[in-house]
Amino acid sequence: MRQRVDATTPACSDEIPYVTRELEPIREKVLNGRRLSREDGLVLFQAQDVLGLGSLARWYARRRHGPCVYYVVNGHINYSNYCTLACAFCSFYRRKGKDPRPGGFELSVDEVLHQADEIARSGATEIHGVGALHPEFPFRYYVDLLRAIRQRHPRVGLKFFTAVEIYHIGKVGGLSPREALLALQEAGLDTLPGGGAEILDDGVRSVICAGKETSAEWLALHRTAHQLGIRSNATMLYGHIETLAQRVDHMLRLRELQDDTGGFLAFVPLSYHPVNNVLKVEHGPGAIDELRTHAIARLMLDNFAHVKAYWVTLTIPVAQIALAYGASDFDGTVLQEKVHHMAGARSPQALSVADLQRLICEAGGEPVERDHLYRRIRRGGGALDWRVA
Ligand code: V47
C-alpha cells in the first residue's frame, strides 16, 4: 500500500517558482526533491514571502498532478450529535438529557438510510458519515447502519466514523479497535474520514478535547486501518491555542506514519470556527494563515498525494485561492454538512457540480471527478449513470 510520487504524471509547468532570498534554500531543496525538515517548516510559517511560498507549493502540486484538481460528488450524514465527551472547540455535540441547549438529534437506521437514498439519488459516489460518541447506541446500530446502506447502494463509497468513534464503537461492542474495524469493514465500511486528529499534541488536547484519545492512539488507529486495507484521511484543526511548532510537529507525525503505511489519501486542514462553543479564542485563522498552512502542508507532506481545500471551512473564495497554494482537491458537493455550520461556517450548504467545475477552471485547474479512492469517474446522461474510469 506504500504510496509514491507518480512519475507518470505529466509535468505541466517547468517554470522555476520565484521566491525572495529568505526562501531560496528551501526552494533548492524542493526543486531537488529533498525532504523538508522541522526547521524548514518553522521558517515557512514565519516567512514574509507568502506569495513565494504559494508559488513553490503550487509548483510542487503541479509536478505531481499536472493541472488536475479533484472533486467528488458526495453528501454528509450525521447520525447523531449526542456525545459522552464535551470538547471545548466543538459546537456540534449535545449531552443527551443533560444539555440545556436545543438541537440534539439521533437518527434511526431507517432515517439514515432515507438520507443515504437522497444522497445517492443526487449521483453521489461517496457518503461521508460522522456522528459523536453516543451514550446508548449498541454496537449493532453501527453495523446495521453500514450494512443497510451497502445493500441499497453497493457502488457508493462509505467513508464513515472518525478514529475516536471507532474506539467508542469497539468499547460498546466489547471489541478491540482492530476487531471493530474488521466488523465494520465486513458490513461495508470503505474508508475513514480524517476527523478527531485535532492537534496531535497531548498538552493541547488536554485543553481543547479533554478525555479524547491521545495523539498516539489516534495514529495507532489509522495504522491499524491501513494494515487492514482501509485507507483514510488526516485532518488538522488549527488556528486556536496551538503554536506554529505544534502544527509542524502534527504534520511530521503524519508524515512518519505515511512513510510506514502509505494509507493516507489526503490531508485536510480545518480552520477553527469559534462560534457556539466554550473554547476561549476570539477568532479563527485569517485567510493568509489558512493559505500559508495549506502551502506548508503541501511541501512538508511529500508522501501525501493530496491536500484538500475544504471550502466549507475555508469559504469558497479562500478555497479557490488555496488551489494556487498547493491544494489539489476541492472536496465535493457536500450535501447536508452540519459540524462546521453549527460552529459558524458561513459557506453555502452545498455546491453543484457546475459550480465546482467553474471554480476550479477559474483557478486555472482542470476539474477531475474522483470517487472516495481518488479513482476517476466517467459520467453518462443521468445522475446515476456513472462508473469508475
Ligand atoms: O474532528 C469540530 C472539526 C472534524 C470545529 O476526511 C471543527 O475528508 C472547526 O473530520 N471549527 C470533523 N473545525 C469533520 C472532519 C472532516 C471534514 C471534512 C472532510 C473530512 C475528510 C473530514 O471537524 C472534527 C474537528 O476537527 N471541528 N468543531 C470547529 N468549531
Side-chain angles (χ1 to χ4, degrees):
M1 252 229 268
R2 181 175 282 271
Q3 233 169 0
R4 60 186 174 82
V5 176
D6 188 356
T8 60
T9 305
C12 140
S13 164
D14 290 333
E15 272 172 46
I16 304 290
Y18 174 79
V19 298
T20 53
R21 190 165 301 157
E22 62 176 337
L23 294 186
E24 274 174 6
I26 293 180
R27 178 180 64 185
E28 288 321 298
K29 279 178 115 171
V30 172
L31 294 183
N32 292 309
R34 283 168 51 214
R35 179 161 266 196
L36 299 189
S37 65
R38 182 174 193 270
E39 289 63 40
D40 294 328
L42 292 173
V43 168
L44 291 173
F45 265 116
Q46 275 140 21
Q48 294 292 309
D49 185 11
V50 182
L51 287 175
L53 165 61
S55 66
L56 198 52
R58 182 171 188 270
W59 177 88
Y60 188 77
R62 289 213 154 205
R63 200 189 65 181
R64 292 188 72 137
H65 302 295
C68 298
V69 173
Y70 294 81
Y71 69 91
V72 62
V73 179
N74 66 352
H76 285 219
I77 295 180
N78 300 118
Y79 56 88
S80 176
N81 64 348
Y82 287 130
C83 198
T84 56
L85 289 179
C87 297
F89 67 78
C90 182
S91 321
F92 174 68
Y93 82 88
R94 296 289 183 272
R95 301 297 294 250
K96 191 169 181 187
K98 298 180 197 151
D99 207 312
R101 301 168 299 168
F105 65 90
E106 59 191 11
L107 303 184
S108 67
V109 169
D110 277 351
E111 287 167 326
V112 170
L113 192 56
H114 182 72
Q115 290 197 6
D117 290 345
E118 204 179 309
I119 291 170
R121 259 199 308 276
S122 76
T125 63
E126 175 192 89
I127 299 176
H128 169 118
V130 295
L133 312 188
H134 194 283
E136 293 152 9
F137 280 164
F139 181 72
R140 268 265 56 85
Y141 172 87
Y142 305 96
V143 172
D144 289 350
L145 179 154
L146 285 174
R147 188 159 287 140
I149 306 176
R150 169 57 68 232
Q151 271 168 9
R152 186 88 66 94
H153 305 290
R155 297 191 311 142
V156 175
L158 302 185
K159 174 167 64 122
F160 267 73
F161 307 131
T162 64
V164 178
E165 286 169 278
I166 301 282
Y167 275 112
H168 176 73
I169 294 168
K171 277 180 209 148
V172 168
L175 300 175
S176 70
R178 186 173 188 280
E179 289 165 338
L181 278 169
L182 276 170
L184 296 170
Q185 186 180 33
E186 198 270 323
L189 177 74
D190 288 306
T191 56
L192 299 184
E198 322 314 357
I199 289 286
L200 295 170
D201 178 283
D202 293 331
V204 174
R205 293 176 90 77
S206 70
V207 177
I208 70 167
C209 54
K212 207 172 226 180
E213 272 72 14
T214 63
S215 316
E217 285 166 334
W218 187 93
L219 290 162
L221 194 285
H222 282 260
R223 182 186 290 279
T224 305
H226 297 172
Q227 285 163 351
L228 297 175
I230 301 171
R231 304 200 63 181
S232 67
N233 290 336
T235 57
M236 176 175 79
L237 178 68
Y238 67 100
H240 40 87
I241 61 161
E242 88 289 0
T243 63
L244 297 176
Q246 284 162 338
R247 289 191 207 175
V248 174
D249 289 336
H250 181 100
M251 294 178 196
L252 292 178
R253 295 190 81 170
L254 295 175
R255 188 169 81 179
E256 203 181 328
L257 177 54
Q258 180 75 332
D259 272 343
D260 286 350
T261 68
F264 285 119
L265 292 160
F267 178 65
V268 193
L270 296 172
S271 42
Y272 174 60
H273 281 63
V275 175
N276 300 329
N277 62 42
V278 299
L279 188 61
K280 298 265 172 289
V281 176
E282 259 173 46
H283 52 76
I288 295 294
D289 189 10
E290 293 177 321
L291 294 171
R292 188 193 284 279
T293 301
H294 282 70
I296 294 171
R298 179 56 291 169
L299 296 172
M300 295 296 292
L301 294 173
D302 54 12
N303 51 7
F304 275 62
H306 297 283
V307 172
K308 188 180 282 192
Y310 187 51
W311 59 262
V312 176
T313 52
L314 286 176
T315 73
I316 290 169
V318 177
Q320 201 185 20
I321 301 169
L323 300 179
Y325 279 71
S328 53
D329 180 13
F330 212 63
D331 199 76
T333 46
V334 192
L335 280 173
Q336 303 177 9
E337 198 283 334
K338 286 196 187 66
V339 177
H340 295 100
H341 284 99
M342 285 172 80
R346 283 189 291 244
S347 43
Q349 275 296 337
L351 282 181
S352 69
V353 169
D355 282 336
L356 287 169
Q357 292 179 339
R358 174 180 56 80
L359 291 162
I360 291 169
C361 287
E362 206 180 85
E366 189 181 303
V368 176
E369 185 179 346
R370 64 162 176 92
D371 72 354
H372 59 295
L373 294 171
Y374 287 80
R375 297 175 301 194
R376 280 177 188 242
I377 295 294
R378 294 266 177 263
R379 287 202 179 256
L384 300 184
D385 183 9
W386 58 266
R387 64 182 170 79
V388 174

